[in-house]
Amino acid sequence: MSERKIDEATMDNVEILAKLALTPQERQKAMDEMEKILTYVEKLNELDTDQAEPLVHILPEVNVFREDQVTNGDGRKDSLANAPKAKEDQYIVPKTV
């Protein structure tokens, strides 16, 4: 078998970054699975994609966004109407330390 791409130092770093505490069995399984992922990615890199156009979305939709329209206002006055105390469009609350 070829040299491993995921070594102990890489796995230590992954465990730290992901905040994992793996058992030796879990660690070995994770290393093996990461090796399989990297092998698959290498295989994908062998594909000739020079003729393929970049794809943003699989559907031919363009700009499906709509303009924002305010329909109910900001409701500030209604909200402040329920406040025990208000001043200059703001709630007055007890001081906390």
Side-chain angles (χ1 to χ4, degrees), residues 43-54:
K43 186 132 181 100
L44 289 176
N45 284 335
E46 294 173 6
L47 293 173
D48 179 19
T49 58
D50 292 338
Q51 301 300 320
E53 288 188 40

Side-chain angles (χ1 to χ4, degrees), residues 11 14-15 18-31 34:
M11 199 60 206
V14 168
E15 283 190 65
K19 297 182 179 178
L20 297 174
L22 300 176
T23 65
Q25 295 83 11
E26 292 171 329
R27 183 181 173 97
Q28 187 59 49
K29 183 178 179 185
M31 288 174 69
M34 285 187 230

Side-chain angles (χ1 to χ4, degrees), residues 4-37:
R4 293 187 68 96
K5 296 169 196 72
I6 305 294
D7 58 9
E8 293 295 327
T10 302
M11 199 60 206
D12 288 341
N13 196 30
V14 168
E15 283 190 65
I16 291 167
L17 293 174
K19 297 182 179 178
L20 297 174
L22 300 176
T23 65
Q25 295 83 11
E26 292 171 329
R27 183 181 173 97
Q28 187 59 49
K29 183 178 179 185
M31 288 174 69
D32 293 343
E33 289 180 6
M34 285 187 230
E35 285 285 336
K36 288 178 186 175
I37 291 168

